[in-house]
CSV table of all heavy atoms in Angstrom, one decimal:
chain,number,residue,atom,x,y,z
C,6,GLY,N,93.3,84.9,102.3
C,6,GLY,CA,92.9,84.6,100.8
C,6,GLY,C,93.4,83.3,100.4
C,6,GLY,O,94.4,82.8,101.0
C,7,GLY,N,92.8,82.7,99.4
C,7,GLY,CA,93.1,81.4,98.9
C,7,GLY,C,92.0,80.5,98.6
C,7,GLY,O,90.9,80.9,98.4
C,8,ASN,N,92.4,79.2,98.5
C,8,ASN,CA,91.4,78.2,98.3
C,8,ASN,C,91.3,77.1,99.4
C,8,ASN,O,92.4,76.7,99.9
C,8,ASN,CB,91.7,77.6,96.9
C,8,ASN,CG,91.6,78.5,95.8
C,8,ASN,OD1,90.6,78.8,95.3
C,8,ASN,ND2,92.8,79.1,95.4
C,9,ALA,N,90.2,76.6,99.6
C,9,ALA,CA,90.0,75.7,100.7
C,9,ALA,C,89.0,74.6,100.3
C,9,ALA,O,88.0,74.9,99.7
C,9,ALA,CB,89.5,76.3,102.0
C,10,GLU,N,89.3,73.3,100.6
C,10,GLU,CA,88.5,72.2,100.1
C,10,GLU,C,87.9,71.6,101.3
C,10,GLU,O,88.6,71.1,102.3
C,10,GLU,CB,89.4,71.2,99.3
C,10,GLU,CG,88.5,70.0,98.9
C,10,GLU,CD,89.4,69.1,98.1
C,10,GLU,OE1,90.5,69.3,97.5
C,10,GLU,OE2,88.9,67.8,97.9
C,11,PHE,N,86.5,71.4,101.4
C,11,PHE,CA,85.9,70.8,102.4
C,11,PHE,C,85.0,69.6,102.0
C,11,PHE,O,84.9,69.4,100.8
C,11,PHE,CB,85.1,71.9,103.3
C,11,PHE,CG,85.9,73.0,103.7
C,11,PHE,CD1,85.9,74.2,103.0
C,11,PHE,CD2,86.6,72.9,104.9
C,11,PHE,CE1,86.6,75.3,103.4
C,11,PHE,CE2,87.4,73.9,105.3
C,11,PHE,CZ,87.4,75.2,104.6
C,12,LYS,N,84.4,69.0,102.9
C,12,LYS,CA,83.4,67.9,102.7
C,12,LYS,C,82.4,68.3,101.7
C,12,LYS,O,82.1,67.5,100.6
C,12,LYS,CB,82.8,67.4,104.0
C,12,LYS,CG,81.9,66.2,103.7
C,12,LYS,CD,81.2,65.7,105.0
C,12,LYS,CE,80.2,64.6,104.8
C,12,LYS,NZ,79.6,64.2,106.2
C,13,TYR,N,81.6,69.5,101.8
C,13,TYR,CA,80.6,69.8,101.0
C,13,TYR,C,80.9,70.8,99.8
C,13,TYR,O,80.1,70.9,98.9
C,13,TYR,CB,79.5,70.4,101.8
C,13,TYR,CG,78.8,69.4,102.8
C,13,TYR,CD1,78.9,69.7,104.1
C,13,TYR,CD2,78.3,68.2,102.4
C,13,TYR,CE1,78.3,68.7,105.0
C,13,TYR,CE2,77.7,67.3,103.2
C,13,TYR,CZ,77.6,67.6,104.5
C,13,TYR,OH,77.1,66.7,105.3
C,14,ALA,N,82.0,71.5,100.0
C,14,ALA,CA,82.2,72.6,99.0
C,14,ALA,C,83.7,72.9,98.9
C,14,ALA,O,84.5,72.7,99.9
C,14,ALA,CB,81.4,73.7,99.3
C,15,ASP,N,84.1,73.5,97.8
C,15,ASP,CA,85.3,74.1,97.7
C,15,ASP,C,85.1,75.7,97.8
C,15,ASP,O,84.0,76.1,97.2
C,15,ASP,CB,86.1,73.9,96.3
C,15,ASP,CG,86.4,72.4,96.3
C,15,ASP,OD1,86.6,71.7,97.2
C,15,ASP,OD2,86.5,72.0,95.0
C,16,ILE,N,85.9,76.4,98.5
C,16,ILE,CA,85.7,77.8,98.7
C,16,ILE,C,86.9,78.6,98.4
C,16,ILE,O,88.1,78.3,98.8
C,16,ILE,CB,85.3,78.1,100.2
C,16,ILE,CG1,84.1,77.4,100.6
C,16,ILE,CG2,85.2,79.6,100.5
C,16,ILE,CD1,83.6,77.6,102.0
C,17,GLU,N,86.7,79.6,97.5
C,17,GLU,CA,87.7,80.5,97.2
C,17,GLU,C,87.6,81.9,97.9
C,17,GLU,O,86.5,82.3,98.0
C,17,GLU,CB,87.8,80.8,95.7
C,17,GLU,CG,88.9,81.9,95.2
C,17,GLU,CD,88.7,82.2,93.8
C,17,GLU,OE1,87.7,82.0,93.2
C,17,GLU,OE2,89.7,82.9,93.3
C,18,VAL,N,88.6,82.3,98.6
C,18,VAL,CA,88.6,83.6,99.2
C,18,VAL,C,89.5,84.6,98.6
C,18,VAL,O,90.7,84.3,98.5
C,18,VAL,CB,88.9,83.3,100.7
C,18,VAL,CG1,88.8,84.6,101.5
C,18,VAL,CG2,88.1,82.3,101.3
C,19,LYS,N,88.9,85.8,98.3
C,19,LYS,CA,89.8,86.9,97.9
C,19,LYS,C,89.8,87.9,99.0
C,19,LYS,O,88.7,88.3,99.4
C,19,LYS,CB,89.3,87.5,96.6
C,19,LYS,CG,89.6,86.6,95.4
C,19,LYS,CD,89.1,87.3,94.2
C,19,LYS,CE,89.4,86.3,92.9
C,19,LYS,NZ,89.0,87.0,91.6
C,20,SER,N,90.9,88.3,99.6
C,20,SER,CA,90.9,89.0,100.8
C,20,SER,C,92.0,90.2,100.7
C,20,SER,O,93.1,90.0,100.3
C,20,SER,CB,91.3,88.2,102.0
C,20,SER,OG,91.5,88.9,103.2
C,21,LEU,N,91.5,91.4,101.1
C,21,LEU,CA,92.4,92.5,101.1
C,21,LEU,C,92.9,92.8,102.6
C,21,LEU,O,93.7,93.7,102.9
C,21,LEU,CB,91.7,93.8,100.6
C,21,LEU,CG,91.3,93.8,99.3
C,21,LEU,CD1,90.6,95.1,98.8
C,21,LEU,CD2,92.5,93.6,98.3
C,22,TYR,N,92.4,91.8,103.6
C,22,TYR,CA,92.7,91.9,104.9
C,22,TYR,C,94.2,91.4,105.1
C,22,TYR,O,94.6,90.6,104.3
C,22,TYR,CB,91.8,90.9,105.7
C,22,TYR,CG,91.6,91.2,107.1
C,22,TYR,CD1,90.9,92.1,107.6
C,22,TYR,CD2,92.3,90.4,108.0
C,22,TYR,CE1,90.7,92.3,109.0
C,22,TYR,CE2,92.2,90.5,109.4
C,22,TYR,CZ,91.3,91.6,109.8
C,22,TYR,OH,91.2,91.7,111.2
C,23,PRO,N,94.9,92.0,106.0
C,23,PRO,CA,94.5,92.8,107.1
C,23,PRO,C,94.6,94.3,106.9
C,23,PRO,O,94.3,95.1,107.8
C,23,PRO,CB,95.6,92.5,108.2
C,23,PRO,CG,96.8,92.2,107.3
C,23,PRO,CD,96.3,91.5,106.1
C,24,TRP,N,95.0,94.8,105.7
C,24,TRP,CA,95.1,96.2,105.5
C,24,TRP,C,93.7,96.8,105.2
C,24,TRP,O,93.6,98.0,105.5
C,24,TRP,CB,96.1,96.5,104.3
C,24,TRP,CG,97.5,95.9,104.6
C,24,TRP,CD1,98.1,94.9,103.8
C,24,TRP,CD2,98.3,96.2,105.6
C,24,TRP,NE1,99.3,94.6,104.4
C,24,TRP,CE2,99.5,95.4,105.5
C,24,TRP,CE3,98.3,97.0,106.8
C,24,TRP,CZ2,100.6,95.5,106.3
C,24,TRP,CZ3,99.3,97.1,107.7
C,24,TRP,CH2,100.5,96.3,107.5
C,25,GLU,N,92.8,96.1,104.5
C,25,GLU,CA,91.5,96.6,104.2
C,25,GLU,C,90.4,95.6,104.5
C,25,GLU,O,90.6,94.4,104.6
C,25,GLU,CB,91.4,97.0,102.7
C,25,GLU,CG,92.4,97.9,102.2
C,25,GLU,CD,92.2,99.4,102.9
C,25,GLU,OE1,91.2,99.7,103.3
C,25,GLU,OE2,93.3,100.1,103.0
C,26,GLY,N,89.3,96.1,104.9
C,26,GLY,CA,88.2,95.3,105.3
C,26,GLY,C,87.3,94.8,104.1
C,26,GLY,O,86.1,95.3,104.1
C,27,ASN,N,87.8,94.0,103.3
C,27,ASN,CA,87.0,93.5,102.1
C,27,ASN,C,87.4,92.0,101.8
C,27,ASN,O,88.5,91.7,101.7
C,27,ASN,CB,87.3,94.3,100.9
C,27,ASN,CG,86.5,93.8,99.7
C,27,ASN,OD1,87.0,93.1,98.8
C,27,ASN,ND2,85.2,94.1,99.6
C,28,ILE,N,86.4,91.2,102.1
C,28,ILE,CA,86.7,89.7,101.8
C,28,ILE,C,85.5,89.1,101.1
C,28,ILE,O,84.4,89.4,101.4
C,28,ILE,CB,86.7,89.0,103.2
C,28,ILE,CG1,87.8,89.7,104.1
C,28,ILE,CG2,87.1,87.5,103.0
C,28,ILE,CD1,87.2,90.7,105.0
C,29,ILE,N,85.9,88.3,100.0
C,29,ILE,CA,84.8,87.7,99.1
C,29,ILE,C,85.0,86.2,99.2
C,29,ILE,O,86.1,85.8,98.9
C,29,ILE,CB,84.9,88.3,97.7
C,29,ILE,CG1,84.8,89.7,97.7
C,29,ILE,CG2,84.0,87.5,96.8
C,29,ILE,CD1,85.0,90.4,96.3
C,30,TYR,N,84.0,85.5,99.6
C,30,TYR,CA,84.0,84.1,99.5
C,30,TYR,C,83.1,83.6,98.4
C,30,TYR,O,82.1,84.0,98.2
C,30,TYR,CB,83.3,83.6,100.8
C,30,TYR,CG,84.0,83.8,102.1
C,30,TYR,CD1,83.8,85.2,102.7
C,30,TYR,CD2,84.8,82.9,102.7
C,30,TYR,CE1,84.4,85.4,103.9
C,30,TYR,CE2,85.3,83.2,103.9
C,30,TYR,CZ,85.1,84.4,104.5
C,30,TYR,OH,85.7,84.7,105.7
C,31,THR,N,83.8,82.7,97.4
C,31,THR,CA,83.0,82.1,96.4
C,31,THR,C,82.9,80.7,96.7
C,31,THR,O,83.9,79.9,96.9
C,31,THR,CB,83.8,82.2,95.0
C,31,THR,OG1,84.0,83.7,94.8
C,31,THR,CG2,83.1,81.6,93.8
C,32,ILE,N,81.6,80.2,96.7
C,32,ILE,CA,81.4,78.9,97.2
C,32,ILE,C,81.0,78.0,96.0
C,32,ILE,O,80.1,78.4,95.2
C,32,ILE,CB,80.2,78.8,98.2
C,32,ILE,CG1,80.6,79.6,99.5
C,32,ILE,CG2,79.7,77.4,98.6
C,32,ILE,CD1,80.4,81.0,99.6
C,33,ASN,N,81.6,76.8,95.9
C,33,ASN,CA,81.4,75.9,94.8
C,33,ASN,C,81.1,74.5,95.4
C,33,ASN,O,81.9,73.7,95.8
C,33,ASN,CB,82.5,75.7,94.0
C,33,ASN,CG,82.8,77.0,93.1
C,33,ASN,OD1,81.9,77.5,92.4
C,33,ASN,ND2,84.0,77.6,93.2
C,34,PRO,N,79.7,74.2,95.6
C,34,PRO,CA,79.3,72.9,96.3
C,34,PRO,C,79.8,71.8,95.4
C,34,PRO,O,80.0,71.8,94.1
C,34,PRO,CB,77.8,73.1,96.2
C,34,PRO,CG,77.4,74.4,96.0
C,34,PRO,CD,78.6,75.0,95.2
C,35,LYS,N,80.0,70.6,96.1
C,35,LYS,CA,80.5,69.5,95.4
C,35,LYS,C,79.4,68.7,94.8
C,35,LYS,O,79.6,67.8,94.0
C,35,LYS,CB,81.4,68.6,96.3
C,35,LYS,CG,82.7,69.3,96.7
C,35,LYS,CD,83.6,68.4,97.6
C,35,LYS,CE,85.0,69.1,97.7
C,35,LYS,NZ,85.8,68.2,98.5
C,36,GLN,N,78.2,68.9,95.2
C,36,GLN,CA,77.0,68.3,94.6
C,36,GLN,C,75.8,69.2,94.6
C,36,GLN,O,75.8,70.2,95.3
C,36,GLN,CB,76.7,66.9,95.3
C,36,GLN,CG,76.5,67.1,96.8
C,36,GLN,CD,76.5,65.7,97.5
C,36,GLN,OE1,75.3,65.2,97.3
C,36,GLN,NE2,77.4,65.3,98.2
C,37,ASP,N,74.8,68.9,93.8
C,37,ASP,CA,73.6,69.7,93.7
C,37,ASP,C,72.7,69.6,94.9
C,37,ASP,O,72.7,68.5,95.5
C,37,ASP,CB,72.9,69.5,92.4
C,37,ASP,CG,73.7,69.8,91.1
C,37,ASP,OD1,74.6,70.7,91.3
C,37,ASP,OD2,73.5,69.2,90.1
C,38,ASN,N,71.9,70.6,95.2
C,38,ASN,CA,70.9,70.5,96.1
C,38,ASN,C,71.4,70.1,97.6
C,38,ASN,O,70.7,69.3,98.3
C,38,ASN,CB,69.8,69.6,95.7
C,38,ASN,CG,69.1,70.1,94.4
C,38,ASN,OD1,68.9,71.3,94.3
C,38,ASN,ND2,68.9,69.2,93.5
C,39,ILE,N,72.5,70.6,98.0
C,39,ILE,CA,73.0,70.4,99.3
C,39,ILE,C,72.9,71.6,100.1
C,39,ILE,O,73.4,72.7,99.7
C,39,ILE,CB,74.4,69.8,99.1
C,39,ILE,CG1,74.9,69.2,100.5
C,39,ILE,CG2,75.4,70.8,98.6
C,39,ILE,CD1,76.2,68.4,100.5
C,40,CYS,N,72.5,71.4,101.3
C,40,CYS,CA,72.4,72.5,102.3
C,40,CYS,C,73.4,72.3,103.4
C,40,CYS,O,73.6,71.3,104.0
C,40,CYS,CB,71.0,72.5,103.0
C,40,CYS,SG,70.7,73.9,104.1
C,41,PHE,N,74.2,73.4,103.5
C,41,PHE,CA,75.1,73.4,104.7
C,41,PHE,C,75.3,74.9,105.1
C,41,PHE,O,74.7,75.8,104.5
C,41,PHE,CB,76.4,72.8,104.3
C,41,PHE,CG,77.2,73.5,103.2
C,41,PHE,CD1,78.1,74.6,103.5
C,41,PHE,CD2,77.0,73.2,101.9
C,41,PHE,CE1,78.8,75.2,102.4
C,41,PHE,CE2,77.7,73.8,100.8
C,41,PHE,CZ,78.5,74.8,101.2
C,42,THR,N,76.0,75.1,106.2
C,42,THR,CA,76.1,76.5,106.8
C,42,THR,C,77.6,77.0,106.6
C,42,THR,O,78.5,76.2,106.9
C,42,THR,CB,75.8,76.5,108.2
C,42,THR,OG1,74.5,76.0,108.4
C,42,THR,CG2,75.9,77.8,108.9
C,43,LEU,N,77.7,78.2,106.3
C,43,LEU,CA,79.0,78.8,106.2
C,43,LEU,C,79.0,79.8,107.4
C,43,LEU,O,78.1,80.7,107.5
C,43,LEU,CB,79.2,79.6,104.9
C,43,LEU,CG,80.6,80.4,104.8
C,43,LEU,CD1,81.8,79.6,105.0
C,43,LEU,CD2,80.6,81.2,103.4
C,44,ALA,N,79.9,79.6,108.4
C,44,ALA,CA,79.9,80.5,109.5
C,44,ALA,C,81.3,81.3,109.4
C,44,ALA,O,82.3,80.8,109.4
C,44,ALA,CB,79.9,79.7,110.9
C,45,ILE,N,81.0,82.6,109.3
C,45,ILE,CA,82.1,83.6,109.2
C,45,ILE,C,82.3,84.4,110.4
C,45,ILE,O,81.3,85.1,110.9
C,45,ILE,CB,81.9,84.5,108.0
C,45,ILE,CG1,81.8,83.6,106.7
C,45,ILE,CG2,83.1,85.4,107.8
C,45,ILE,CD1,81.3,84.5,105.6
C,46,ARG,N,83.5,84.5,111.0
C,46,ARG,CA,83.8,85.3,112.2
C,46,ARG,C,83.7,86.8,111.8
C,46,ARG,O,84.3,87.1,110.8
C,46,ARG,CB,85.1,84.9,112.8
C,46,ARG,CG,85.6,86.0,113.7
C,46,ARG,CD,87.1,85.6,114.2
C,46,ARG,NE,87.8,86.8,114.7
C,46,ARG,CZ,88.6,87.4,113.9
C,46,ARG,NH1,89.0,87.1,112.8
C,46,ARG,NH2,89.3,88.5,114.5
C,47,ILE,N,83.1,87.5,112.7
C,47,ILE,CA,83.2,89.0,112.5
C,47,ILE,C,84.0,89.6,113.8
C,47,ILE,O,83.5,89.4,114.8
C,47,ILE,CB,81.8,89.7,112.5
C,47,ILE,CG1,80.9,89.0,111.4
C,47,ILE,CG2,81.8,91.2,112.3
C,47,ILE,CD1,81.3,89.2,110.1
């Protein structure tokens, strides 16, 4: 859980892991109409 800043976006993560399997990513792009990929490990 926490906040991460990247080239294309800032991402907030709310995580109940490792005790529960619930993770929410909130994506805030740094500019409009930008396409990129979010790859999440399962």
